[in-house]
């Protein structure tokens, strides 16, 4: 029963052929290996094992799923879309799956679970491992949970912000002010950025704005801007746009300003845990990395907004101010009305239409969007010294009224790659009031859901055009809103849902 | 551009054909839908969405992966192995994926993140949702992390234990004592249960033992017992075995005594967070559900054991005792030596061989396994009143020596379905000492890894036969251990790894 020893050279390395399986796991790198795969057995890999793959100069760690089906051969290693992209793989590339080194920084996560204070070095070690993709989704969830609530003190929040900045790219604008703004927890349709940037730039201040795409909403500022001009610019392109025009509105995700934050956010979102420290680090790390010197925070406060009370707003504002200052930023926080959606359109193209109406001073321009934009632009102008204290709103209003803002916006779009017309939906249908009365309330959450069922933001033309506002009187049969969709199917589904949610626009019959 | 309304009846329900993809995600239910799938669009599902599926009287919630590859058609819904099993699906079954109701109990998880005390009602709500499969892996990780460390107080630990018991099956043994034992954090080869149960049952006490399979180790007690007799018994079968023989050694996983714990453990394991409260609830929920009245806790203490110091053992022992008492259990905790592996075999069949040698009083019986088993059996006998205080060890020794224990073990195996011979590996090879000297230490962790590379516990015959113990003198070229494997490939891989880890058995050259 004794077996002669097998020479080692015949055993290693164990190569598998990479295959793109086209499975979108929402950014978690997943490796699929067949249960009859020799490497699986010899390495003792099992489902949920963490496995390291190296290709060229790239190394990733993926979570293993073991396949017994016939869509994968025993000598193949299937990759999820995220793993394929991170590894820079090509069909037919060969890899040797192996055990990753133990993640030392998990010890710091455990320390935080026990309530210990984490040093800058500890937090930096965690964030470096997170950025390198060494944490599994479960481990990310543990880190996020251990730091959630009020468990990061101000010093740790500063450390987390610094670590996030260090893990990404950083833009250096040289001498001079770099203005920025950020809205904490969006309201539907709140596209003030696209009005503020041209006003501020037209007044001679520099304002290079990186924005995000929609995560759960029907449109992010980057999605809306993209219906008017390209937004996928790299750092060199951004620099050219800003040098030429003084401003830009681009997608921040293309720039990798805070890759660790991008990774943490995808775990934070489904957990829906409030976390002051992580929120502050998420916002400020991107501002520091973007090279901003002056940051205005727009904080909408209202019962359905992210910040629900003036007290919570004060607390968060203070933390943002203090951490930002420690990191060398000048900070200003403005609390705004967070009660109702802003503008009339919901969805990229419809929101872009509202922005264009404001910039072009059209009679159809939504007054609330114009007013919010001017208020915030005025604050930025005073903050940057382009207007005297108390004179910002007047200057902003003048720049908008005389067409300078609109011309600047056209310049910015041209520099980003060319101004274009937002698309118009081929399929539209109105939803009508079932009774006469006053509009008591509009449910932002349901409106967002209907707009997404209609196809937003994937279909840029899709969304909702609101025709009424809270407090207005409507007649039975009067259109409340119009659905826009790219296909009849999506229109029908959105209508079906809207019909089942009659109180989305709540009309109270007059007594 | 106005589209006529489509009748609702033509739109719903949206059925997809189920397909078993054979993907083992380690128990997380995953649903695979094609990106061109109509339901995906209309419902606004995206990668990582939680999706509810109902089939007959079963409902599960799965995490969505979106597929763009061609191994899934747009009108198909692919399922992972866990989802397929939980749903009880058959090829060709039709389902209508839909949004699950929001999980209200996540509010309690958030409260715990903020350090609030959770009531029994809150913990019960969480555990009910966990058991129903409503929590995603990320949400499970958040709950586990929020409760880890020392964040559950004794009252919450009692609540968690009660909630876990309520969520599973429970065995009622009627009047009389029901003895049980549990080892906290196993040592390799520590198969005392299979010796204790027949001794205790032979003395007239009832001892129905449910054991676990290996999770990360080369063998669990259920794996080892399975090489000698069937262990997959349901509650009715267990009852018949115990009525006939007074004891049993079966796999607890087939009985669903604490399904919530089974779910939490698969998240706890990769996170590797110590959690007193969850450990206590995990142990005691299964004891209460199994209908035990008297529980002896074997707590090995040593630098590489789960419990590393006498102080930690005292603390954990006190918590186990107090929580157990609150739940109506009589508890006794014994601290044992946790320094070295027990017995000579590592792997199901080799460990079974050691157990049989002890029960049959063979000269080859490992003395340490026999001594530990007798010590603990004596404690159980005194605890249950079958021996006077101080007289347990003598009684246990007599019952083992005169063959009563061996006869009882044969009876138990026969009642469980028949005693059988453990398998013997077709491929064996010894690893020899590279120098003469004293065995300084044996690395349990590396030994376990080598045994797993050799195929344990999947191949029951695979593992390691240790020939030396710490403190012994060995000559150069003397065999240190023999590898056992079912295939030449696994033997070769295990040998290769063993050769690269020369200090697994650390021989110190005599000066």
């Amino acid at each position: 029963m004794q077996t002669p020893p097998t020479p080692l050279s015949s055993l290693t390395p164990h190569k598998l052929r990479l295959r793109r399986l086209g499975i979108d796991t929402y950014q978690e790198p997943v490796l699929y290996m067949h249960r009859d795969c020799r490497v699986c057995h010899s390495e003792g890999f099992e489902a949920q094992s963490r496995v390291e793959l190296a290709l060229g100069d790239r190394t990733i760690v993926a979570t293993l799923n073991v396949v017994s089906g016939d869509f994968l051969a025993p000598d193949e290693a299937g990759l999820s879309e995220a793993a394929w992209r991170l590894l820079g793989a090509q069909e037919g590339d060969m890899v040797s799956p192996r055990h990753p080194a133990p993640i030392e920084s998990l010890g710091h996560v455990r320390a935080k679970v026990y309530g210990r204070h984490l040093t800058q070095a500890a937090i930096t070690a965690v964030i470096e491992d997170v950025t390198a993709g060494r944490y599994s989704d479960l481990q990310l969830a543990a880190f996020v949970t251990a730091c959630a609530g009020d468990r990061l003190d101000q010093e740790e929040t500063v450390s987390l912000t610094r670590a996030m900045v260090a893990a990404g790219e950083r833009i250096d604008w040289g001498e001079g002010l770099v203005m920025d703004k950020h809205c904490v927890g969006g309201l539907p349709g709140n596209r003030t950025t696209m009005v503020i940037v041209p006003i501020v730039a037209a007044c001679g201040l520099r304002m290079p704005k990186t924005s995000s795409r929609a995560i759960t909403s029907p449109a992010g500022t980057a999605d809306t801007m993209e219906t008017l001009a390209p937004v996928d610019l790299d750092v060199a392109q951004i620099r050219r746009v800003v040098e030429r025009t003084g401003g830009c509105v681009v997608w921040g995700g293309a720039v990798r300003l805070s890759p660790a934050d991008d990774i943490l956010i995808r775990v934070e979102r489904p957990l829906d845990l409030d976390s002051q420290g992580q929120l502050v680090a998420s916002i400020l790390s991107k501002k520091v990395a973007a090279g901003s010197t002056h940051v205005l925070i727009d904080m909408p406060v209202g019962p359905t907004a992210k910040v629900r009370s003036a007290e919570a707003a004060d607390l968060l504002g203070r933390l943002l101010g203090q951490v930002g200052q420690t990191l060398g930023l000048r900070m200003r926080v403005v609390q705004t009305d967070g009660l109702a959606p802003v503008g009339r359109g919901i969805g990229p193209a419809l929101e872009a239409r509202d922005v264009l109406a404001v910039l072009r001073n059209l009679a159809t321009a939504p007054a609330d969007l114009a007013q919010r934009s001017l208020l915030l632009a005025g604050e930025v102008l005073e903050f940057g010294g382009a207007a005297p204290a108390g004179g910002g709103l007047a200057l902003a209003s003048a720049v908008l009224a005389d067409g300078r803002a609109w011309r600047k916006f056209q310049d910015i779009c041209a520099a980003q790659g060319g101004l274009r017309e937002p698309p118009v939906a081929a399929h539209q249908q109105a939803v009508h009031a079932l009774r006469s009365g006053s509009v008591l309330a509009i449910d932002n959450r349901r409106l967002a859901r209907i707009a997404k069922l209609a196809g937003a933001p994937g279909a840029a033309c899709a969304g909702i055009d609101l025709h009424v506002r809270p407090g207005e009187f409507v007649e039975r049969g009067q259109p409340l809103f119009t659905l826009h969709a790219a296909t009849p199917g999506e229109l029908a589904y959105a209508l079906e849902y809207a019909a089942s949610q009659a109180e989305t626009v709540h009309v109270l019959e007059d007594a």
Side-chain angles (χ1 to χ4, degrees), chain A residues 113-128:
Chain A
V113 167
Y114 273 93
R116 293 194 207 113
H117 176 89
L118 295 187
T119 63
Q120 176 72 65
I123 292 179
T124 298
V126 171
I127 291 301
E128 280 175 358

Side-chain angles (χ1 to χ4, degrees), chain A residues 183-205:
Chain A
C183 180
V184 176
L187 294 175
N190 193 15
R191 298 291 152 244
T192 57
T193 292
M194 292 164 66
V195 180
I196 297 168
V197 167
I199 292 176
V200 171
C203 294
L205 287 172

Side-chain angles (χ1 to χ4, degrees), chain A residues 428-434 447 450 463-468 474-484 491-505 507:
Chain A
Q428 304 181 10
Q429 186 162 324
V431 171
H432 301 91
L434 298 173
L447 275 185
I450 295 170
I464 290 176
D465 200 9
L466 260 178
H467 304 308
V468 297
V474 296
E475 295 281 359
R476 181 170 184 281
Q478 182 180 329
L480 297 172
F481 54 88
T482 299
L483 286 171
H484 290 231
L491 183 69
Y493 288 123
L495 272 174
E496 183 183 344
Y497 180 78
S500 74
Q501 306 285 323
E503 300 304 278
T504 302
V505 175
V507 176

